[in-house]
Amino acid sequence: MERASHAARNRASRAKPRSTVLQRTIAGLSAAAVIGTGAALVDMGSASAAATNLIANPGFESGLSNWSCTAGSGSAVGSPVHAGSAALKGVPSNSDNAQCTQTVSVQPNSQYTLSAWVQGSYVYIGATGTGGTDPSTWTPGTSGYQQLSVNFTTGANTSSVTVYTHGWYGQPTYYADDISLTGPGGTATTPPTTSPTTTPPTTQPTTPPTTPPTTPPTTPPTTPPTTPVTPPTGDLPKHVVTGYWQNFNNGATVQTIAQVQSQYDIIAVAFADATTTPGAVSFTLDPSLNYSVAQFKADIAAKQAAGKKVIVSVGGQNGTISIRDSASATNFANSVYSLMQTYGFNGVDIDLENGIDSTYMPQALRALSAKAGSSLIITMAPQTIDMLSAGSDYLATALKVKDILTIVNTQYYNSGSMNGCDGGVYSQGTVDFITTLACTAIQAGLSPAQIGIGTPASTSAAGSGYVSPTVVNNALDCLAKGTGCGTFKPSTTWPTIRGAMTWSTNWDASAGNAWSNGVGAHVHAMP
């Protein structure tokens, strides 16, 4: 999160390398500045089938042969390429995302890996018609080629899938090369020869959702599509302040848990690490902190005695935890519960910025809830692009577990402009940006008491999107009582809006605790 990508987790000082290094520094940004800007490299599972590439013309050496691109948006070019002599160039417009597709024959009940080398801003790859959970992943942008990869399993009646790559509406040109689909091949099919026609809506999004739609999303409904539920309180105040504690040293003030400012009601320990067991996580204190396990546990217990909750955060910008099946869901639940028993954590924070499965993550959280009981704290810290619609994987996950979900603290930074709940386009760093996107989540079906405002503690804590405590407080007042709004004013008020979150307690301390003193006092004074 940066909380600057959960604050670019700078693990350079660790005594031993970790595969889950959460170093959130991107192209000169501070470590914490990238939660929302973290490159979305999805973990690449190994294909269980033969490594034969089922894609025809994967490197576009034969032009667009076997490929179909929307609205004439694609072409084969000689530079830049990843390998060979050609690559795909996609040129999005305000009404087209430059999607290029190919239909491939496959076998039912089989495992496949789709990968591609891509370059540019907001580039996606994915597959539809799989007969199961259609996979997708994306990257917010790189200066050179990077590889994206996803795995999926076909359904019992699936004989073909459509693979795709695309950019995003109004975003720059992207490139794709060496697209690969490995797994057992099916009976050959004839690829499409004409491009589908799309009708643009009146309002175009400016940033991509996690699950790419085939056409741009439209304005969300004005009433929640699902029945509201009363969220669990977790023995917490009506309004709460959440802060992320850095288990690493990236230049921010190094703290013990005991030194975390008293305004924080929930302290999220960032982060747990992936293990070699799919879905399972572990936790180790960073040796550079000179913090003993015994003292760490004692400090957690002392915070809890003072009425605070301490949870373990899973993921972060460079997190590699992947929960894509029942086995990994079970591993996740068992390992998190084990950490709760070992360290005394009250629950878990989900900050998986590189993709989340809305089928198996809810399964994992329900399994954890069954073990831990009703006192379990579950929080989430999605990026703004993950909460644009109820079809986005993160929001879909939150809706599926809303009866056991404590709070969703969306990261309202490192994201550029977004569509709000009224269909308008709003820029980050404003009251309107925060309130319209919070409105979207509430309209989708989450309780206002499950909505928190996530912002950086200082300009050092994020690459972009920092706002002063005054802006955070105005946004809370706008949502809760209709005052302090910008140009957007919700049609109703939500007095139970849950509170605010920051990345991080360490950066807050570096700035003299200006965020927690300003926002914390305001949150706790809300009726």
Side-chain angles (χ1 to χ4, degrees), residues 295-385:
Q295 189 60 53
F296 179 67
K297 291 180 181 180
D299 289 349
I300 289 175
K303 282 291 184 182
Q304 292 165 337
K308 313 300 183 182
K309 305 296 180 183
V310 182
I311 60 178
V312 62
S313 182
V314 175
Q317 175 200 320
N318 296 334
T320 58
I321 295 102
S322 178
I323 301 168
R324 303 289 182 182
D325 54 31
S326 294
S328 57
T330 298
N331 293 337
F332 178 86
N334 289 343
S335 61
V336 171
Y337 186 60
S338 177
L339 293 180
M340 292 174 63
Q341 292 178 306
T342 299
Y343 295 97
F345 295 129
N346 297 105
V348 66
D349 170 67
I350 305 301
D351 182 22
L352 298 176
E353 299 176 13
N354 297 330
I356 189 171
D357 191 301
S358 60
T359 297
Y360 294 107
M361 178 52 78
Q363 180 178 315
L365 292 175
R366 291 201 176 276
L368 178 60
S369 177
K371 290 176 174 292
S374 59
S375 63
L376 176 70
I377 303 294
I378 299 176
T379 67
M380 295 183 177
Q383 300 166 101
T384 50
I385 54 173

Side-chain angles (χ1 to χ4, degrees), residues 46 75 102 130 196 238-239 268 284 300 331 334 387 400 442 514 525:
S46 59
S75 62
Q102 182 176 143
T130 63
K238 180 179 179 181
H239 304 289
T284 304
I300 289 175
N331 293 337
N334 289 343
M387 296 290 285
K400 287 181 179 180
I442 295 170

Side-chain angles (χ1 to χ4, degrees), residues 17 49 101 124 126 141 143 150 159 163 168 174 188 207 344 432:
T101 62
Y124 287 74
S143 57
V150 290
S159 59
V163 300
W168 196 249
Y174 74 91
T207 52
D432 286 334

Side-chain angles (χ1 to χ4, degrees), residues 122-143:
Y122 298 112
V123 190
Y124 287 74
I125 67 167
T128 60
T130 63
T133 301
D134 288 342
S136 68
T137 190
W138 62 281
T139 174
T142 57
S143 57

Side-chain angles (χ1 to χ4, degrees), residues 68-71 96 194-200 214-215:
S68 175
C69 299
T70 56
D96 183 77
T194 58
S195 299
T197 329
T198 58
T199 303
T214 52
T215 56

Side-chain angles (χ1 to χ4, degrees), residues 124-218:
Y124 287 74
I125 67 167
T128 60
T130 63
T133 301
D134 288 342
S136 68
T137 190
W138 62 281
T139 174
T142 57
S143 57
Y145 274 96
Q146 72 176 93
Q147 190 176 39
L148 299 179
S149 179
V150 290
N151 300 321
F152 63 91
T153 301
T154 52
N157 299 312
T158 302
S159 59
S160 67
V161 299
T162 298
V163 300
Y164 63 80
T165 183
H166 66 67
W168 196 249
Y169 306 93
Q171 295 296 317
T173 295
Y174 74 91
Y175 300 90
D177 201 0
D178 298 324
I179 300 176
S180 172
L181 180 67
T182 58
T187 305
T189 58
T190 303
T193 55
T194 58
S195 299
T197 329
T198 58
T199 303
T202 55
T203 302
Q204 296 299 333
T206 58
T207 52
T210 302
T211 304
T214 52
T215 56
T218 55

Side-chain angles (χ1 to χ4, degrees), residues 240-256:
V240 299
V241 177
T242 302
Y244 285 81
W245 176 83
Q246 299 177 185
N247 181 34
F248 51 91
N249 181 357
N250 65 347
T253 298
V254 173
Q255 293 180 312
T256 64

